[in-house]
Amino acid sequence: MKVLIGLSLLSFVAPSLAFPAAQNYARNDAAHQHPLHIQLKPKNTATRELVSLDGLWDFALAQEGNDTATPWTSRLPKGLEIPVPASYNDIFIDRKIHDHVGWVYYQREVIVPRGWSDERYLIRIEAATHEGRIYVNDELVAEHVGGYTPFEADITSLVSAGEKFRLTIAVNNELTHETIPPGNIEITEFTGKRVQRYQHDFYNYAGLARSVWLYSVPREQYIRDVVAVTGVDGAAGLINYTVTTSEGTTGDIRITVLDEDGTTVAEASGAHGIARINSVKLWQPGAAYLYQFVVDIVDSDTVIDTYSVAVGIRTVKVSGRQFLINDKPFYFTGFGKHEDSAIRGKGHDQAYLVHDFQLLDWIGANSFRTSHYPYAEEVMEFADRHGIVVIDETPAVGLAYSIGGGVSGGDPPPTFSPEGINNNTRRAHAQAIRELIARDKNHASVVMWSIANEPASNEEGAREYFAPLAQVARDADPAHRPVVFVNLGLATYKVDRITDLFDLICLNRYFGWYSETGDLEEAEAALEEELKGWEKKFEKPIIFTEYGADTMAGLHSVFALPWSEEYQTEFLDMYHRVFDRHDSVIGEQVWNFADFQTNMGINRVDGNKKGVFTRDRKPKASAHNLRARWRKLIGVE
Ligand code: BDP
């Protein structure tokens, strides 16, 4: 077995073995390249109505072995009911559903409110993991590839106000070498089963894990998108804005900015412009302040459409080895997280949302990374309101075949190749970057974009693959936030090929866990050496975006041996000692906030146990140490 320094040994045996066979997998390219026509999150306003379609839906698996979705043209067989939002895998006591590879169907009846006869109305799916199709009665009306960003269907011409229709959402969980994240489907040797393999270390939860909406906007003149880029000019705050409206819009655009008391603090007009707030109150980490940026379309003194976006005014900048928020150096404390809880899988849950942020506050975390995919938009809004800083990540995880090679001991296949991560994967990746930024561009909490987690940045082809993608991110963000990728332990400063393309260095390191296991003295020396190497090579700030040790809650050891709560505590202390010796380190995000589910394998017992909290959010011993350190660091003690 190859010895890999600081490499995470994941719980899968990846395509060591062979590249995935090309999938006979129909994709409607045109459909999945389309951006949302109405980008704004559905919301009740004086001119828009919203009907939640969350609740219990009928559910069925597609016939076995199908490679393409059979359009569903009738009622689903009676029997299974499923909650939306939730991943479907752990809901039923049925291994076939848990392990299913392919399409599933969600179905329910929907009535368009009869008062909507003069409106336009749409179905919006916040996420269908990883591919979704919307059917109205028997008709396919929309399709989307990419499991963590929203899509929509305008159904105005298909169903009249007051009418009932059958809504079916088909969802496919298959991952191929050309999807983001990538994977491959293996046909088992003896029984010929189709099994989903993937390189990433979290369970491939699938289904409708976020909300589904039916909502209305005015029929002809409506707001499609708002971009609000903030700046500061002395004591004043600036909102440089662009409003996009429907083609038929003839009305005037009127902007009103309200403070938290509802007082008008700025006004502007026109589709582009700058709203100026004299004596601005800044959005600060730990002290959020949000203005309502209200956009009206006004025609002959009547408000035709109105929508408001919460805007936090703050600046973000990398300067030398510092990360500045509002021109003050910022030090990140916190975690890489997951959307993960028992039974729901990745299902969005408001109780977990609020409780997780309570725990972040309790422990002194001022930030987290949306490892390894965009989270529900409600999470971003909550972070905006509560002053938590976010590193916002795409679902590009598992783009390194070397990890599987390391585990299996065989020679890994090259990652970037026609049979592996290729031009089609890159197109899907570019799309994932654009959709993330299109959705999250106005969130004050988001201070940078992470376009990939642990790709094979040391391999041939990495630069050709990533240079255009870094540019996609830069072009997509009107606010020009810093762009990063998260570096894999194997891609040390000696062999990495892409770091110069990015604004900061984000390192995931596991000295003392995957290498130097149990030997913190040796691990400390290795970490020190690695950090010095990066510092010498680049004049950029460094964030440790992952470091952690699997820890079995309740396991104790006087020797602080691996897996014990004592080991996790001493392990984290060791990393902190090293960080404190280096001014280049401007952030620490422990892996992980909580234990989470992964594929079962010989390296994982009921999932990944690197959580500082258990899966049901109970603190392990290290939580108390972190709390003491972080609260002091962020100045709340
Ligand atoms: C890193 C990955 C993360 C894993 C972690 C681990 O970024 O997703 O869960 O290692 O091995 O490689 O625990």
Side-chain angles (χ1 to χ4, degrees), residues 241-245 251-255 267-274 293-296:
Y241 72 90
T242 303
V243 176
T244 314
T245 53
D252 299 329
I253 308 293
R254 199 175 67 194
I255 308 294
E267 286 174 315
S269 59
H272 314 272
I274 295 179
F293 184 84
V294 184
V295 181
D296 295 332

Side-chain angles (χ1 to χ4, degrees), residues 351-469:
Y352 273 94
L353 168 72
V354 174
H355 193 65
D356 282 5
F357 274 80
Q358 283 283 302
L359 290 174
L360 292 177
D361 182 53
W362 174 82
I363 206 167
N366 61 16
S367 72
F368 65 89
R369 174 170 60 123
T370 71
S371 39
H372 297 305
Y373 37 83
Y375 290 0
E377 210 173 336
E378 289 85 346
V379 179
M380 313 309 288
E381 292 171 335
F382 204 89
D384 288 346
R385 289 198 298 273
H386 294 269
I388 294 285
V389 169
V390 179
I391 301 177
D392 208 0
E393 188 159 277
T394 71
V397 53
L399 282 72
Y401 290 154
S402 51
I403 298 184
V407 174
S408 69
D411 269 343
T415 298
F416 303 101
S417 75
E419 301 78 17
I421 303 303
N422 63 23
N423 287 337
N424 290 336
T425 328
R426 192 173 64 189
R427 264 192 285 279
H429 196 157
Q431 187 65 13
I433 294 170
R434 283 190 202 103
E435 290 187 16
L436 168 70
I437 298 178
R439 195 196 70 166
D440 287 353
K441 59 186 177 294
N442 290 331
H443 290 292
S445 55
V446 175
V447 298
M448 72 181 89
W449 310 108
S450 160
I451 67 167
N453 180 69
E454 298 193 345
S457 58
N458 54 321
E459 283 188 37
E460 207 179 313
R463 203 170 172 87
E464 293 73 8
Y465 182 87
F466 275 102
L469 292 179

Side-chain angles (χ1 to χ4, degrees), residues 144-161:
H144 178 259
V145 177
Y148 304 95
T149 37
F151 62 109
E152 67 181 7
D154 183 335
I155 62 165
T156 318
S157 60
L158 301 172
V159 194
S160 304

Side-chain angles (χ1 to χ4, degrees), residues 13 44 51 53 78 90 110 176 187 189 191 215-216 257 301 314 343 354 402 406 466 555 623 626 630:
V13 178
N44 257 320
V51 176
L53 300 182
K78 263 178 84 170
D90 292 348
V110 177
T176 76
I187 310 294
E189 189 179 348
T191 58
Y215 75 106
S216 74
V257 182
D301 280 342
R314 52 110 190 87
I343 304 170
V354 174
S402 51
F466 275 102
L555 184 73
L626 280 174
W630 285 351

Side-chain angles (χ1 to χ4, degrees), residues 343-605:
I343 304 170
R344 307 154 185 80
K346 299 206 168 303
H348 178 65
D349 182 292
Q350 312 232 20
Y352 273 94
L353 168 72
V354 174
H355 193 65
D356 282 5
F357 274 80
Q358 283 283 302
L359 290 174
L360 292 177
D361 182 53
W362 174 82
I363 206 167
N366 61 16
S367 72
F368 65 89
R369 174 170 60 123
T370 71
S371 39
H372 297 305
Y373 37 83
Y375 290 0
E377 210 173 336
E378 289 85 346
V379 179
M380 313 309 288
E381 292 171 335
F382 204 89
D384 288 346
R385 289 198 298 273
H386 294 269
I388 294 285
V389 169
V390 179
I391 301 177
D392 208 0
E393 188 159 277
T394 71
V397 53
L399 282 72
Y401 290 154
S402 51
I403 298 184
V407 174
S408 69
D411 269 343
T415 298
F416 303 101
S417 75
E419 301 78 17
I421 303 303
N422 63 23
N423 287 337
N424 290 336
T425 328
R426 192 173 64 189
R427 264 192 285 279
H429 196 157
Q431 187 65 13
I433 294 170
R434 283 190 202 103
E435 290 187 16
L436 168 70
I437 298 178
R439 195 196 70 166
D440 287 353
K441 59 186 177 294
N442 290 331
H443 290 292
S445 55
V446 175
V447 298
M448 72 181 89
W449 310 108
S450 160
I451 67 167
N453 180 69
E454 298 193 345
S457 58
N458 54 321
E459 283 188 37
E460 207 179 313
R463 203 170 172 87
E464 293 73 8
Y465 182 87
F466 275 102
L469 292 179
Q471 198 54 45
V472 166
R474 295 191 192 285
D475 293 345
D477 183 12
H480 306 297
R481 290 174 181 83
V483 177
V484 302
F485 82 102
V486 170
N487 170 285
L488 161 75
L490 195 67
T492 65
Y493 64 91
K494 294 181 188 145
V495 292
D496 158 85
R497 298 168 183 239
I498 64 172
T499 295
D500 60 300
L501 301 169
F502 295 88
D503 298 310
L504 292 89
I505 301 172
C506 294
L507 300 178
N508 291 355
R509 289 298 179 272
Y510 287 93
F511 301 108
W513 188 254
Y514 291 119
S515 62
E516 300 83 34
T517 315
D519 185 346
L520 291 179
E521 236 177 287
E522 194 67 17
E524 182 165 351
L527 176 61
E528 182 73 41
E529 190 275 339
E530 167 89 2
L531 189 45
K532 282 191 177 138
W534 286 104
E535 276 178 341
K536 241 176 121 178
K537 202 159 168 187
F538 297 99
E539 172 81 20
K540 291 179 195 285
I542 299 173
I543 302 177
F544 278 81
T545 34
E546 288 186 27
Y547 58 108
D550 281 278
T551 305
M552 198 62 214
L555 184 73
H556 293 283
S557 159
V558 285
F559 300 118
L561 294 176
W563 290 94
S564 67
E565 295 199 30
E566 287 77 9
Y567 189 70
Q568 187 181 38
T569 306
E570 290 190 14
F571 177 104
L572 298 178
D573 281 352
M574 180 278 277
Y575 275 75
H576 297 151
R577 255 198 320 275
V578 176
F579 300 165
D580 290 346
R581 293 198 288 260
H582 293 265
D583 288 342
S584 59
V585 176
I586 56 110
E588 48 191 70
Q589 294 188 330
V590 174
W591 191 253
N592 186 285
F593 171 72
D595 293 346
F596 59 92
Q597 197 50 273
T598 64
N599 233 345
M600 288 309 156
I602 50 175
N603 303 307
R604 293 283 182 261
V605 185

